[in-house]
């Protein structure tokens, strides 16, 4: 993907955020912009079991991990998702990135009870791409707007305050208007204090066909890194567990060089920023620490 | 030293009336020392009224992100908000505070230390603003795992770490009698519908684990609100002072902390 020779290295400052590719690349949807091209038939990464998660949670204690994140695919396709979150909230705060189209009342009821007893927050991040079926469904699929709003309403009903993340598919200048329209639509749907976040779109996976790939000059060079705060990069404070092992960041799991080790302790080594996506990270900062477009 | 007690004040945010009340209370408690963990400015009226109180009462201060910004004449407060509305309001208080802080006081802020360390009763105490590793790191109760705090105390070689910055107090006991606490802030109420603010009393003994006690501070919030209006500060800020509910900086709150508030 690159001319890796001149690319700078990123050293992990501290493993603050531990991610789990909990549903692999399996998703009930097939969004056009999904950067790891998740779908109902993409089995390149599989579900993580409760057992695997437990082993990594246990390992994370000695490493002083601060927060846990769950992504996919759609995390709630994983049949063990509820017990996995239950277990995680014993260790620390958990954030789930979901498309909110498959949530069930019984799960949310149980999770609400678990969170109430925990010291820690359980955050839901719901991905939507437009404030109406007309703007959302062409990207995420027929009927997905209505279903995501229904999922959001359910989350709110059980006392959660989901963060609605929108991948930017419009010129940046329109952010303000679109955010306001979103807020209005959400409050009409019964979400009185909607939390809304706009994210840049990554040019990877299915997104390459939707708009365009990265150009040759869109590479991070050593010179660009002078005076740059590497703390803004996800790979400076995160790692992600998949069914293959531990990778450098949630964005690059498809790239062979992203697989760093089998366990957390051995995955803490530096990584060379040789990918086009690294350029987006460089421009926009920590796009994933609070959200990505995958996993929902 | 068999016992040591210190008053630890969080962000003052120009609230010189709450500062006065807290200092009075600290003296009444007979503390051995008074510290402030930074962010003297922001939010409230008349920044320069804070400084004489700090000097007269021998308060030792850590440099907060606000103090660093004002001291070095930066363009914004470096609070670390991510939402455009939050940033909009943050900029209003920053511009006001910057314009109303004298050159002398700005210079004083510039030279504050990023942390204060001392030893009392055989234990090492570290006072910082956000976290020992980053001045503007938000440490919230519901998004900070206990093993992360264990990592911080180990890394910082401290038995007690005290921080502020986030605006809501909390504490957690750690292994081997170590302790982390966020001392809260004097500058504005903590989003619970009460108008009082908080400071923390650190109590050290040679034969017992260190303890933190949070002390509520009542002050003349009507007068503060009146002065904020006279200074044409946003009505949203005045509302927080008078109701105890946050109306801005909301998007930075984690789910649990956000749920406890009204907005
Ligand atoms: S894509 Fe971003 S987070 Fe991943 S390795 Fe590159 S710079 Fe780091
Ligand atoms: S963007 Fe999210 S919801 Fe859409 S296909 Fe990818 S993982 Fe599924
Ligand atoms: Fe601060």
């Amino acid at each position: 993907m690159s001319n890796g020779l001149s690319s700078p290295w990123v050293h992990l400052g501290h493993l603050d955020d531990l991610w789990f590719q909990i549903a692999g690349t399996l998703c009930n949807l097939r969004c056009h912009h999904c950067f790891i091209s998740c779908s109902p038939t993409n089995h390149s990464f599989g579900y993580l079991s409760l057992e695997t998660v437990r082993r990594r949670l246990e390992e994370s204690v000695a490493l002083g991990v601060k927060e846990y994140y769950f992504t996919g695919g759609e995390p709630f396709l994983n049949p063990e998702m509820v017990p996995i979150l239950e277990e995680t909230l014993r260790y620390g705060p958990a954030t789930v990135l979901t498309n909110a189209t498959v949530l069930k009342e019984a799960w949310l009821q149980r999770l609400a009870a678990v969170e109430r007893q925990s010291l820690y927050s359980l955050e839901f991040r719901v991905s939507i791409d437009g404030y109406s079926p007309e703007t959302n469904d062409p990207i995420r699929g027929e009927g997905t707007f209505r279903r995501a709003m229904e999922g959001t309403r359910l989350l709110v009903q059980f006392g959660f305050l989901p963060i609605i993340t929108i991948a930017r598919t419009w010129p940046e200048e329109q952010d303000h208007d679109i955010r306001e329209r979103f807020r209005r639509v959400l409050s009409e749907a019964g979400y009185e204090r909607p939390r809304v976040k706009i994210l840049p779109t990554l040019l990877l996976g299915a997104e390459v066909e939707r708009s365009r790939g990265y150009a040759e000059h869109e590479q991070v060079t050593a010179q660009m890194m002078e005076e740059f705060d590497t703390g803004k990069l996800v790979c400076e404070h995160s790692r992600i567990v998949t069914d293959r092992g531990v990778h450098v960041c949630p964005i690059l799991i498809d790239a062979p060089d992203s697989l760093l080790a089998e366990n957390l302790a051995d995955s803490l080594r530096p990584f060379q920023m040789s990918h086009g996506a690294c350029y987006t990270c460089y421009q926009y900062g920590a796009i994933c620490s609070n959200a990505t477009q995958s996993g929902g | 030293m068999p016992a040591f007690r210190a008053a630890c004040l969080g962000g003052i945010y120009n609230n010189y009336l709450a500062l006065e009340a807290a200092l009075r209370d600290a003296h009444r408690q007979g503390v051995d020392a008074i510290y402030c963990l930074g962010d003297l400015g922001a939010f409230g009226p008349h920044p320069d009224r804070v400084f004489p109180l700090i000097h007269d009462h021998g308060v030792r201060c850590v440099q907060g992100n606000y103090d660093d910004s004002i001291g070095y004449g930066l363009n914004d407060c470096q609070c670390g908000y991510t939402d455009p509305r939050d940033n909009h309001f943050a900029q209003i208080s920053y511009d006001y505070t910057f314009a109303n802080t004298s050159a002398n006081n700005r210079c004083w802020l510039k030279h504050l230390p990023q942390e204060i360390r001392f030893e009392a009763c055989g234990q090492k105490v570290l006072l910082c603003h956000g976290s020992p590793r980053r001045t503007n790191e938000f440490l919230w109760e519901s998004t900070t795992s206990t093993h992360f705090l264990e990592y911080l105390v180990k890394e910082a070689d401290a038995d007690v770490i005290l921080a502020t910055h986030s605006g809501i107090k909390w504490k957690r006991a750690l292994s081997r009698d170590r302790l982390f606490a966020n001392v809260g802030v004097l500058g504005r109420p903590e989003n619970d519908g009460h108008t009082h603010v908080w400071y923390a009393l650190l109590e050290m003994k040679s034969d017992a684990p260190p303890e933190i006690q949070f002390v509520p501070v009542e002050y003349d919030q009507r007068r503060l609100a009146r002065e904020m209006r006279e200074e044409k500060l946003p009505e949203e800020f005045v509302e927080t002072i008078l109701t105890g509910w946050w109306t801005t900086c909301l998007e930075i709150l984690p789910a649990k902390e956000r749920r406890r508030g009204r907005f």
Side-chain angles (χ1 to χ4, degrees), chain B residues 40-185:
Chain B
L40 276 60
F43 206 75
H46 307 304
D48 276 346
R49 295 189 188 172
V50 165
F51 297 84
L53 292 166
I54 294 285
H55 302 317
D56 292 352
H57 293 263
V59 180
R60 290 187 56 203
C61 296
V62 171
Q63 184 178 61
N65 52 289
Y66 232 90
D67 313 317
D68 179 73
S69 289
I70 300 277
Y72 286 90
L74 306 186
N75 292 327
D76 63 63
C77 63
Q78 311 176 78
C79 284
Y81 301 131
T82 52
D83 181 73
R85 183 177 178 274
D86 289 348
N87 279 324
H88 166 77
F89 282 105
Q91 197 62 41
I92 295 175
S93 37
Y94 184 72
D95 293 342
Y96 170 84
T97 302
F98 188 78
N100 291 281
T101 305
S102 73
N104 266 349
N105 288 334
R106 289 209 299 266
C107 178
W108 186 80
L109 289 172
K110 189 169 165 176
H111 295 105
L112 289 176
Q114 269 164 10
E115 56 172 49
I116 293 176
R117 285 175 183 264
F118 60 87
E119 245 184 86
C121 308
Q123 307 209 52
K124 295 179 217 151
V125 180
L126 168 58
L127 310 179
C128 57
H129 184 70
S131 77
R133 62 181 190 175
R134 218 177 74 222
T135 295
N136 68 354
E137 180 164 16
F138 290 101
L139 292 181
W140 306 101
E141 181 171 29
S142 87
T143 53
T144 307
S145 76
T146 302
H147 39 266
F148 174 73
L149 294 171
E150 297 278 2
Y151 155 77
L152 286 187
V153 290
K154 192 168 147 229
E155 193 70 11
D157 187 24
D159 300 301
V160 177
I161 295 180
L162 303 183
T164 176
H165 183 59
S166 71
I168 301 180
K169 65 176 185 332
W170 59 282
K171 61 179 170 181
R172 199 161 308 155
L174 303 174
S175 62
R176 293 195 272 129
D177 289 339
R178 288 174 301 186
L179 174 70
F180 173 87
N182 187 315
V183 301
V185 294

Side-chain angles (χ1 to χ4, degrees), chain A residues 14 16 60-61 64-68 91-93 115-116 118-123 159-161 179 183 193 195 197, chain B residues 82-84 133 137-139 141-148 151 172 251 253-259 261-263:
Chain A
H14 175 252
D16 282 5
S60 79
V61 172
V65 167
K66 185 168 178 258
E67 297 191 52
Y68 303 95
Y91 287 81
E115 197 212 18
R116 226 171 292 129
S118 170
L119 203 53
Y120 303 115
S121 276
L122 171 57
E123 294 276 13
F160 295 106
L161 294 174
R179 184 182 289 105
R183 288 222 166 101
R193 38 177 171 169
R195 300 157 87 196
K197 254 194 168 81
Chain B
T82 52
D83 181 73
R133 62 181 190 175
E137 180 164 16
F138 290 101
L139 292 181
E141 181 171 29
S142 87
T143 53
T144 307
S145 76
T146 302
H147 39 266
F148 174 73
Y151 155 77
R172 199 161 308 155
E251 300 309 327
L253 288 171
K256 265 188 196 262
E257 282 81 357
R258 178 91 185 244
R259 223 175 284 140
R262 175 184 287 172
F263 301 108

Side-chain angles (χ1 to χ4, degrees), chain A residues 10 233-236 248-249 251-252 271 273 275 277-278 281-282:
Chain A
V10 181
L233 302 172
V234 175
C235 53
E236 192 271 343
V248 65
C249 74
I251 306 159
L252 290 181
F271 183 77
M273 285 178 81
H275 296 265
C278 301
C281 288
Y282 177 87

